[in-house]
Amino acid sequence: MEELLEIMNEINSDVDYATEDNLIDGHVYDSLEILTLITEICDTFDIEIGAKWMRNENFNSAQRIWEMIQMIQEE
């Protein structure tokens, strides 16, 4: 999770990732930040985020993103 938070802080350090649960639906991240986040996650964790994972609820919070990464790694 620490690596994920480092990535997210590089993208936008103004967000409190411990409490924010509306990154996508609340328009905290813009489209470029979302693409950057996905690319960095794939590179850092050596995973591919397929179409079935591309839903707002999977990206609305750091915790939810971390859970998604773990599920993808288990596949």
Side-chain angles (χ1 to χ4, degrees):
M1 178 83 162
E2 192 171 315
E3 283 179 295
L4 173 61
L5 292 173
E6 287 176 21
I7 292 168
M8 295 177 81
N9 277 310
E10 286 179 20
I11 293 170
N12 187 335
S13 61
D14 294 332
V15 178
D16 180 1
Y17 292 107
T19 61
E20 181 61 60
D21 63 357
N22 230 2
L23 292 171
I24 305 302
D25 292 334
H27 305 286
V28 175
Y29 272 17
D30 63 28
S31 57
L32 181 57
E33 289 171 322
I34 295 165
L35 289 174
T36 301
L37 175 64
I38 292 169
T39 300
E40 290 297 322
I41 288 171
C42 291
D43 290 347
T44 301
F45 296 99
D46 195 28
I47 60 173
E48 182 176 323
I49 301 175
K52 77 177 190 176
W53 299 101
M54 295 295 183
R55 294 181 293 220
N56 287 3
E57 62 264 19
N58 288 334
F59 292 92
N60 267 329
S61 71
Q63 182 61 42
R64 187 63 192 110
I65 295 167
W66 181 244
E67 291 168 3
M68 177 189 65
I69 291 168
Q70 291 177 314
M71 287 188 278
I72 293 170
Q73 289 174 328
E74 291 172 4
E75 287 187 332

